[in-house]
Amino acid sequence: MSTEATRIAVTETMSALSDPMLRRLRRQEHSDPRTQAFVQLLDLPDTAVCLEIGAGLGSIARWLATDVAASGQVLATEVRPELVSRIGARGLTNLEAIKHDIRADALPGQRYDLIFTRYVLEHLPDRKMILAHLSQSLKPGGWLVVEDAVFHEPALTGPPAYRSAMLAFAEGKHGTDYLWGQSLPMEMSAAGLHQISAQQIQDLFDSGSELALFFASVLLQERDTRRDDDATCTAALKEAVALLVGGRAWFSGPVVVQCAGRADPSLGTEEAQ
């Protein structure tokens, strides 16, 4: 592809990624395979009752309803009504989507074999209380799976302008704790869960790649939202976007922490006695 053709392709991709819905779709497509691989390690029964908090566009909820709990039940919750309508059952009789705010609304009374949430708790100031509440909503032997992103300086590699812009992005999200994910195993233990397992994933990508364009669009959206008057910050952001889109560099993204914890299976035995 010629230089001009590459420039046009990048421009078109960046323009498309200015659409928040498309950004969610791209992030979903990138994140889903590793989420699915992690959940499959739990070996859930096909009759499982599953709950997803913050289901977004619903790809994981639909996957649970078709590939994991085909004979079970999946409830997908989402705070934004426009996304609830997009999740849709699509002919899946075992999938229901509802508008629900985990910060204020009570969970449905039943208990779950699996509760899953991704890139949600990191944004909620009451995240510890919510995690404890979710843990208490599991069936005996049920699993809570949480994925969150971690932004911290040693893990972010790439040109200085990129590192500076990404850290400024993380620090500017009021109410969000982008270090919370590091403590997930201990928080699950404190919530009374057992058989805790966790792993970290970090992407490496080069200028002009799909991930580079995604992070460039995220930084541009943040610039437009904050309208930061700090000239140094603005200059670093512009340089970072230029490097991501058309530079010749390699970058590392935020670390993604995946953590699973299990409710004590023996509680079911004790209740039955």
Side-chain angles (χ1 to χ4, degrees), residues 21 24-25 28 55-59 62 78 83 86-87 90:
M21 203 65 72
R24 289 191 186 99
L25 181 61
Q28 167 185 291
L57 297 178
S59 60
R62 288 190 291 273
E78 176 54 55
L83 295 185
R86 292 178 67 99
I87 293 172
R90 299 190 184 182

Side-chain angles (χ1 to χ4, degrees), residues 160-229:
Y162 166 76
R163 298 200 306 273
S164 175
M166 290 291 277
L167 290 171
F169 161 80
E171 291 166 1
K173 305 293 277 186
H174 299 295
T176 295
D177 183 353
Y178 276 124
L179 297 178
W180 147 263
Q182 298 177 116
S183 65
L184 272 171
M186 292 300 297
E187 295 295 346
M188 285 199 177
S189 179
L193 298 181
H194 304 267
Q195 294 177 239
I196 295 166
S197 61
Q199 64 182 23
Q200 295 187 157
I201 301 171
Q202 188 173 31
D203 294 303
L204 295 172
F205 51 92
D206 61 344
S207 300
S209 64
E210 183 116 343
L211 268 180
L213 297 178
F214 171 80
F215 282 113
S217 71
V218 168
L219 291 176
L220 287 173
Q221 180 196 32
E222 184 68 7
R223 178 202 62 185
D224 295 340
T225 301
R226 293 174 62 187
R227 302 191 182 280
D228 203 325
D229 294 327

Side-chain angles (χ1 to χ4, degrees), residues 5-56:
T6 300
R7 185 192 68 79
I8 293 173
V10 168
T11 300
E12 290 175 347
T13 302
M14 285 295 293
S15 177
L17 284 173
S18 66
D19 177 358
M21 203 65 72
L22 182 57
R23 271 201 306 275
R24 289 191 186 99
L25 181 61
R26 293 290 178 87
R27 189 182 196 189
Q28 167 185 291
E29 289 172 346
H30 180 73
S31 301
D32 282 0
R34 58 196 184 195
T35 292
Q36 293 166 357
F38 191 66
V39 171
Q40 284 173 329
L41 295 175
L42 306 179
D43 197 23
L44 294 163
D46 67 359
T47 55
V49 178
C50 306
L51 168 67
E52 182 178 5
I53 302 293

Side-chain angles (χ1 to χ4, degrees), residues 22-147:
L22 182 57
R23 271 201 306 275
R24 289 191 186 99
L25 181 61
R26 293 290 178 87
R27 189 182 196 189
Q28 167 185 291
E29 289 172 346
H30 180 73
S31 301
D32 282 0
R34 58 196 184 195
T35 292
Q36 293 166 357
F38 191 66
V39 171
Q40 284 173 329
L41 295 175
L42 306 179
D43 197 23
L44 294 163
D46 67 359
T47 55
V49 178
C50 306
L51 168 67
E52 182 178 5
I53 302 293
L57 297 178
S59 60
I60 290 298
R62 288 190 291 273
W63 171 74
L64 288 171
T66 55
D67 289 22
V68 176
S71 299
Q73 182 181 359
V74 178
L75 176 63
T77 75
E78 176 54 55
V79 70
R80 292 159 290 194
E82 69 275 15
L83 295 185
V84 174
S85 63
R86 292 178 67 99
I87 293 172
R90 299 190 184 182
L92 297 171
T93 58
N94 62 336
L95 170 61
E96 179 185 6
I98 62 170
K99 182 181 181 299
H100 179 274
D101 188 341
I102 189 61
R103 297 167 297 182
D105 300 334
L107 286 172
Q110 65 182 319
R111 292 179 177 263
Y112 299 91
D113 297 291
L114 171 70
I115 299 178
F116 172 74
T117 185
R118 181 172 71 186
Y119 307 143
V120 172
L121 295 187
E122 62 195 22
H123 298 298
L124 307 180
D126 294 331
R127 57 188 68 87
K128 289 187 179 183
M129 182 179 70
I130 291 171
L131 186 141
H133 182 44
L134 294 177
S135 300
Q136 293 163 8
S137 300
L138 294 168
K139 292 181 180 180
W143 290 93
L144 173 62
V145 176
V146 178
E147 291 187 34

